[in-house]
Amino acid sequence: MRLTKSTDIALRIAMRLAVTGDDSPTTREVAEAVGVPYTHAAKVVSRLQHMGVVEARRGRGGGLTLTSAGRTGSVGRLVRELEGAGDVVGCEDDPPCPLRAACRLRGALRNAQEAFFAALDPITVEELTGPPTGPVLLSLGTRTPD
């Protein structure tokens, strides 16, 4: 199974915010740090904010912070919500698969997808940022003096 680009960006942003401490970077700074275009990051941050994973404050002293739910919540739950409930294969695409009425593959793939999510259920974003990942995340987007 391959995650959508949006889910990949969301996980990278959450992990980056998990290591920022008291610092509240802007969406632009986080986008630069995790290597994604600002417009994509802005859409993802909006979705994460709606999900209660990220808090965004505007203006002077504003920026992004990871909420406690975002920090300690299940990565499996987060990925499920970001990916949606869609099937792994397009049984109902146009044209629909001629086997869909009697197919056993669709159910097997749904079980495999759930097993994938279940493997992520016990993991938190905070756990993903332990060594050696945390120090690398902290170094992203930092500029060295010229």
Side-chain angles (χ1 to χ4, degrees):
M1 183 174 159
R2 184 174 177 94
L3 298 177
T4 62
K5 189 69 173 169
S6 178
T7 299
D8 175 38
I9 292 169
L11 292 170
R12 285 196 259 166
I13 288 172
M15 290 170 63
R16 173 67 170 141
L17 292 175
V19 298
T20 58
D22 292 336
D23 188 27
S24 294
T26 65
T27 301
R28 190 168 304 282
E29 290 168 339
V30 171
E32 183 180 308
V34 299
V36 299
Y38 168 76
T39 54
H40 293 256
K43 290 176 189 174
V44 169
V45 164
S46 177
R47 183 139 184 235
L48 289 172
Q49 187 178 8
H50 179 73
M51 293 168 60
V53 173
V54 168
E55 183 180 294
R57 290 180 313 283
R58 293 181 177 265
R60 198 172 187 100
L64 305 175
T65 56
L66 193 64
T67 64
S68 60
R71 188 175 301 283
T72 61
S74 163
V75 172
R77 181 200 59 82
L78 183 61
V79 172
R80 271 187 197 87
E81 194 166 340
L82 290 165
E83 288 291 310
D87 286 328
V88 176
V89 292
C91 302
E92 302 300 329
D93 288 355
D94 188 25
C97 176
L99 300 174
R100 72 186 182 282
C103 184
R104 296 175 68 185
L105 178 61
R106 186 178 195 177
L109 290 173
R110 189 173 295 122
N111 291 339
Q113 182 181 29
E114 184 49 41
F116 173 79
F117 293 141
L120 296 173
D121 282 340
I123 302 167
T124 66
V125 170
E126 195 166 56
E127 291 171 340
L128 293 176
T129 62
T133 308
V136 173
L137 285 163
L138 283 170
S139 72
L140 298 176
T142 57
R143 299 174 197 255
T144 55
D146 293 331

